[in-house]
Amino acid sequence: MPDLSELNSRVHQTFETLNQAREQALLQARQLTRLCANTIRAIHRSEMETARQNLQEAADIAAGLQRLLADFPLLLYAGYTQDALKEYVEASLTLCIIEDAPLPSPETLGVEYNTYLNGMAEVTGELRRRCLDILRQGYSEEAERLLGWMDEIYNLLVTVDYPDALTGGLRRQTDLVRGIVERTRADLTLSLREERLQKALERASNRLPNDPHP
């Protein structure tokens, strides 16, 4: 009978090490996702200093997660790890766009290109939300600027015509982005027309003679 005792020992040692790394990775991925969500929430509340602090904490955890899993590609490229890193990309890019700052590259964030692009796709939803918040106060050039970013993001994503196995399902995300951009453009167009109509009515009202009767 063959002796598999040595193999048995290596198998258990390998999976024990993997399992310990996995448990740590799951914990850090949950922390990273929570911090990114808090960053986005602070952005929409215009609490920019809080957003920056949360994002810095998220950056530290993301770097630690990547170091932890550097020798475990099976875990590094697992769905829960890449999903957390995608949230980190989304929060990072959203904050930079809102603050009109240069975007960090995939290399700067330490993420794969497919993770970066999928995170970028989700940024458009946050920009739409920001636009709608702005439009509640009336038409604004800031909303136009954000729409310009949404257009640029879509124009980039639509060129990435590769199999979903390579892009992480980017094609479906791109279709969603197109709908978000179109709806936001329609909202801005309506807001602009309403503002122009209001100004035209005000000008017409100012040209009318004053009513002599009290």
Side-chain angles (χ1 to χ4, degrees), residues 93 96-103 116 120 123-124 127 142-156 177 181:
L93 300 188
C96 286
I97 291 173
I98 295 299
E99 295 196 315
D100 202 13
L103 298 189
Y116 186 90
M120 177 178 280
V123 169
T124 57
L127 297 184
E142 174 64 7
E144 284 285 359
R145 184 183 74 85
L146 298 181
L147 177 61
W149 266 107
M150 296 168 70
D151 275 326
E152 289 301 313
I153 290 172
Y154 175 71
N155 291 338
L156 168 61
V177 168
V181 173

Side-chain angles (χ1 to χ4, degrees), residues 66-214:
Q66 291 157 334
R67 286 194 300 269
L68 171 67
L69 301 181
D71 295 329
F72 304 102
L74 180 67
L75 302 179
L76 178 59
Y77 297 107
Y80 58 86
T81 304
Q82 293 302 310
D83 283 346
L85 291 173
K86 180 181 68 176
E87 297 295 321
Y88 171 53
V89 171
E90 179 187 359
S92 299
L93 300 188
T94 300
L95 182 59
C96 286
I97 291 173
I98 295 299
E99 295 196 315
D100 202 13
L103 298 189
S105 66
E107 291 80 9
T108 299
L109 298 181
V111 299
E112 298 294 325
Y113 274 67
N114 59 355
T115 302
Y116 186 90
L117 292 176
N118 277 281
M120 177 178 280
E122 296 195 357
V123 169
T124 57
E126 302 305 333
L127 297 184
R128 171 171 169 75
R129 178 179 172 185
R130 183 78 170 185
C131 283
L132 294 178
D133 287 342
I134 293 172
L135 292 178
R136 288 192 182 95
Q137 307 301 320
Y139 174 79
S140 166
E141 290 185 359
E142 174 64 7
E144 284 285 359
R145 184 183 74 85
L146 298 181
L147 177 61
W149 266 107
M150 296 168 70
D151 275 326
E152 289 301 313
I153 290 172
Y154 175 71
N155 291 338
L156 168 61
L157 298 180
V158 78
T159 67
V160 186
D161 188 19
Y162 296 94
D164 284 347
L166 299 179
T167 65
L170 185 62
R171 186 173 301 159
R172 178 178 176 277
Q173 287 288 90
T174 301
D175 290 340
L176 293 174
V177 168
R178 180 179 59 190
I180 290 172
V181 173
E182 289 175 351
R183 291 195 302 274
T184 306
R185 178 173 289 105
D187 291 331
L188 260 69
T189 300
L190 179 59
S191 178
L192 179 58
R193 288 176 177 173
E194 289 177 346
E195 180 172 292
R196 288 174 175 172
L197 176 60
Q198 181 64 33
K199 289 181 178 179
L201 291 173
E202 289 175 356
R203 289 194 299 268
S205 176
N206 291 334
R207 287 196 297 266
L208 292 176
N210 293 330
D211 188 348
H213 301 289

